[in-house]
Amino acid sequence: MKNGRIKPENPPPPEYAFGYRHPPRSGNEINGLGESTRRQPRHVFHSAGGPPLDWQALDDFFGLISPWSVLRHVIGNAWQLRNKDGPVNPEQREVADAAGMAIEIKERARQLGADLAGVSRITDGALYEGIQVPFKYAISIGMKMDREQMAHVPQVTAAAEVMRVYKEISRVAVRLAKQIRNMGWPARAYGNPNSTDILQIPLAVNAGFGQLGKHGSMISKEFGSNFRLAAVLTDLPMACDEPVDIGVDDLCLSCRRCVTDCPPDAIFDEKQLIRGEKRWYVDFDKCIPYFVKTNGCAICIEVCPWSVPDRGPSLSAKMLAKRGVRVGSDRAGSESG
Amino acid sequence: MRTVDNAASANQSRWKKLRNDTSLLMRFAAMILYYFTTGRRLRRLYRECEARGEVFYVDEDPAESERRLR
């Protein structure tokens, strides 16, 4: 690591000693690459125990070649999430001030250990096809990863850090959900990165955490992409945050760092049409084999200029100023951080 | 190997919760056993394939891969 920048040292080549005898349907097709009509996303990889997915065999293989140092955090996470739901206090606390409640909940999330917290209304785009959840709101929470550990991408040290943070953020989500249920409102924690119900990124974008980057991951002003997400779904009335523009597109359109550093060349230079919407997208069929080979890769999120510690605010100001947006007029991070 | 995303556990009695927790622990035990038995065999086969420049087929029965590598 030099000046906070990470340059992966000798990442393995995108050559694989594993493969399919009967290749599954393209993950890009399942994800809706090139589709012009809007529809909800479908599960393709990372099953959480539901019906087998098209890429199930590779997913199972991924789990079995994961080192124990990673797997132990996966198990720890699942153990915590046994308490993701629970009984609701029959004495319901009345909420007269939804804005005040949102502030209180975000403060509680921070006290429990979250680095980012925001509220959004649950939309269809954040739910997998065929899934309905009995809640109106999502409290997205983010937790930063240890940059020193993540500097080892795409090695096991970084993969273990990713899963450690998922375990820690689940702990926060479970406790926050419990506090809300104690207030007499239903709430359920979602901390499993393999969730079969919700997509964390659309919720976090709507909660004002940041924007989707060229590498297909969230970019926040505070931590770039060096953080992980969880959520609590609830009916507790709260004022919602708004999506923010921190200038991610402005940089991603000219920056090629993740593109050039991606060993399997999976990152597109331009936005793609995905389920009726132009957005940044990563070629699933190229990314996932390398992701599996390296126990979770993560090169793109760590080489991203936004992920350099303390760089985000100045980068955002610079990008927005170039476009003529008065710095400080956006509310990026002002409430979510 | 799939992780655990079990059904919601709202409004369950203390005994039911204890039963669910025990069942989850049993699933973990089975998962860990699988990881250290079948998983070890699979990891060995995969390393062998890697060393020989061959392909380990993830959708093939490991016994078939073993026969192929003999």
Side-chain angles (χ1 to χ4, degrees):
Chain A
M1 189 156 51
K2 196 178 171 186
N3 299 330
R5 285 172 177 269
I6 287 172
K7 179 76 187 164
E9 282 176 23
N10 305 318
E15 292 156 7
Y16 310 107
F18 59 85
Y20 269 97
R21 199 170 270 289
H22 306 288
R25 193 155 59 112
S26 161
N28 294 327
E29 186 191 325
I30 300 168
N31 282 334
L33 175 63
E35 279 183 28
S36 54
T37 46
R38 281 188 184 260
R39 67 161 170 88
Q40 284 177 281
R42 291 175 191 143
H43 243 108
V44 53
F45 192 74
H46 272 345
S47 166
L53 306 171
D54 287 47
W55 288 68
Q56 191 65 56
L58 190 60
D59 195 8
D60 291 344
F61 177 72
F62 173 67
L64 286 172
I65 63 165
S66 289
W68 175 248
S69 59
V70 175
L71 193 66
R72 70 189 179 96
H73 292 305
V74 175
I75 293 172
N77 192 11
W79 177 244
Q80 290 193 118
L81 287 168
R82 77 193 190 284
N83 294 324
K84 65 182 179 181
D85 214 332
V88 180
N89 185 349
E91 285 176 33
Q92 194 172 72
R93 178 173 151 187
E94 268 188 49
V95 181
D97 176 12
M101 181 52 78
I103 292 168
E104 180 185 330
I105 289 297
K106 285 186 268 186
E107 186 50 39
R108 282 175 185 247
R110 284 189 208 98
Q111 281 172 3
L112 289 169
D115 295 306
L116 296 168
V119 179
S120 67
R121 201 168 250 283
I122 299 167
T123 57
D124 282 350
L127 298 174
Y128 281 107
E129 197 174 68
I131 297 291
Q132 286 181 323
V133 290
F135 303 103
K136 289 190 189 112
Y137 304 100
I139 304 155
S140 289
I141 53 176
M143 186 179 278
K144 67 180 173 193
M145 298 187 285
D146 184 330
R147 184 84 167 153
E148 294 288 329
Q149 300 295 312
M150 293 309 293
H152 298 283
V153 287
Q155 312 296 334
V156 172
T157 315
E161 171 62 10
V162 169
M163 292 319 300
R164 183 194 69 79
V165 172
Y166 272 127
K167 186 182 71 182
E168 288 302 311
I169 199 169
S170 281
R171 180 183 54 79
V172 175
V174 163
R175 289 184 182 178
L176 185 62
K178 190 176 181 186
Q179 288 189 8
I180 295 171
R181 291 195 301 271
N182 285 342
M183 291 159 68
W185 295 90
R188 186 185 297 165
Y190 282 84
N192 185 347
N194 299 4
S195 170
T196 47
D197 294 349
I198 62 165
L199 288 90
Q200 299 281 359
I201 292 179
L203 293 174
V205 167
N206 289 338
F209 278 16
Q211 293 173 272
L212 187 70
K214 194 177 211 166
H215 51 24
S217 293
M218 273 293 298
I219 293 178
S220 82
K221 202 198 264 188
E222 296 83 357
F223 310 115
S225 292
N226 191 42
F227 70 106
R228 295 285 148 172
L229 294 165
V232 173
L233 305 195
T234 181
D235 278 337
L236 176 72
M238 287 172 291
C240 293
D241 291 297
E242 295 289 330
V244 292
D245 178 0
I246 59 170
V248 165
D249 277 2
D250 304 68
L251 185 70
C252 284
L253 284 167
S254 58
C255 176
R256 301 193 74 245
R257 186 72 202 272
C258 59
V259 176
T260 53
D261 278 1
C262 174
D265 195 22
I267 300 173
F268 288 102
D269 249 327
E270 289 169 358
K271 289 188 177 184
Q272 303 295 308
L273 183 64
I274 307 292
R275 302 189 296 273
E277 190 189 346
K278 277 261 185 188
R279 44 159 279 197
W280 296 114
Y281 179 75
V282 173
D283 189 319
F284 178 93
D285 299 350
K286 287 183 181 176
C287 171
I288 287 299
Y290 195 79
F291 178 90
V292 168
K293 177 178 176 168
T294 56
N295 306 118
C297 188
I299 288 176
C300 57
I301 62 171
E302 294 304 323
V303 299
C304 177
W306 292 94
S307 296
V308 176
D310 305 322
R311 178 104 192 271
S314 59
L315 203 50
S316 176
K318 192 173 155 190
M319 291 299 123
L320 294 174
K322 264 189 184 174
R323 212 195 313 146
V325 177
R326 188 170 59 84
V327 180
S329 64
D330 72 305
R331 55 155 297 283
S334 58
E335 285 178 45
S336 61
Chain B
M1 188 162 55
R2 299 187 213 176
T3 53
V4 181
D5 196 13
N6 54 338
S9 54
N11 302 320
Q12 58 185 10
S13 69
R14 189 168 288 187
W15 279 113
K16 195 167 177 200
K17 180 162 170 34
L18 187 66
R19 210 173 58 192
N20 283 353
D21 287 359
T22 309
S23 148
L24 187 59
L25 283 173
M26 303 272 276
R27 284 176 72 181
F28 288 159
M31 205 163 131
I32 292 167
L33 185 69
Y34 188 74
Y35 176 81
F36 283 109
T37 53
T38 307
R40 177 171 289 167
R41 183 171 155 221
L42 181 143
R43 290 190 291 277
R44 180 177 53 77
L45 285 170
Y46 171 48
R47 276 197 302 271
E48 264 182 60
C49 283
E50 211 169 16
R52 290 188 193 191
E54 291 185 28
V55 174
F56 175 85
Y57 291 106
V58 295
D59 53 344
E60 182 180 73
D61 184 347
E64 186 60 39
S65 309
E66 253 166 0
R67 265 195 295 278
R68 207 162 37 82
L69 287 168
R70 251 185 237 138

